[in-house]
Amino acid sequence: MADKYHHITIALAGICQSALLVPQLANTGQCNAHLYNTSLKSILNTSPTSTEEVFDGLANIRDGLEFLIQLLSSNQQDKEKFEVMDYIFSTLRIAVKLLKKINELEQISQRLQRIKSLYGHELDNEHQAQHDQLSYSLAGIYTDIISPLTTKIRVKGKIEYLQNSLIQAKVRSALFGCVRAAVLWYQVGGNRWHFLFARKKIINTAKVLLQQ
């Protein structure tokens, strides 16, 4: 039976991986399509049977695990890592508040069920127009319900991309993916103290997960 670090490391990798998408989108207008798809699928996966299933298997969060190891292994962080860390901790704060809001959680669940019935199957094909509509729909949930819970996250990037409505929707969907994984992190026993006192354990667990 896996210990709790197995589960919290997977969840934390999920947060990292969705957070990595934000600077990609904000600075280039594009992002890794597979990672973005994984993030969207995790949001729509509201009834997983395991931590791994949230991301449809460990293979889909390898980038998140690798970044997590880099993040916790070094005390020297470059500008991009600082930005990603800011998105990670901001969404962890949002998740704490969200878990206390029963009405908001129910509203999110209801809207996700409607979205899944309309667009969920489209994640398995390459129909870009449907993917874009899904991004707008998920961004709507983030804007209406999640974002008002706390201070608005300030996204840094190039103005030509930050003013593009589709890029805005994708950024908000990526942040939604972070929040979804952050909720999972708390549900499986994660807490802020792990960043201070369990870094080595999380790093070692991430390395083991990468070998599986």
Side-chain angles (χ1 to χ4, degrees), residues 50-87:
S50 67
T51 314
E52 293 93 329
E53 191 183 309
V54 174
F55 309 101
D56 200 22
L58 291 175
N60 290 317
I61 55 165
R62 292 187 65 84
D63 290 65
L65 288 166
E66 290 171 354
F67 181 80
L68 179 58
I69 292 169
Q70 294 174 20
L71 193 65
L72 297 182
S73 296
S74 173
N75 291 322
Q76 294 183 331
Q77 310 294 352
D78 57 29
K79 180 183 176 183
E80 182 181 357
K81 284 185 182 177
F82 270 122
E83 288 184 7
V84 174
M85 285 175 64
D86 188 37
Y87 300 137

Side-chain angles (χ1 to χ4, degrees), residues 91-115:
T91 51
L92 282 169
R93 287 193 293 271
I94 290 174
V96 168
K97 293 180 180 293
L98 181 58
L99 283 166
K100 298 174 183 177
K101 303 285 187 179
I102 303 302
N103 289 339
E104 282 79 356
L105 286 169
E106 181 59 30
Q107 290 174 37
I108 291 172
S109 177
Q110 290 174 358
R111 287 177 64 168
L112 285 177
Q113 290 303 320
R114 290 198 295 270
I115 290 171

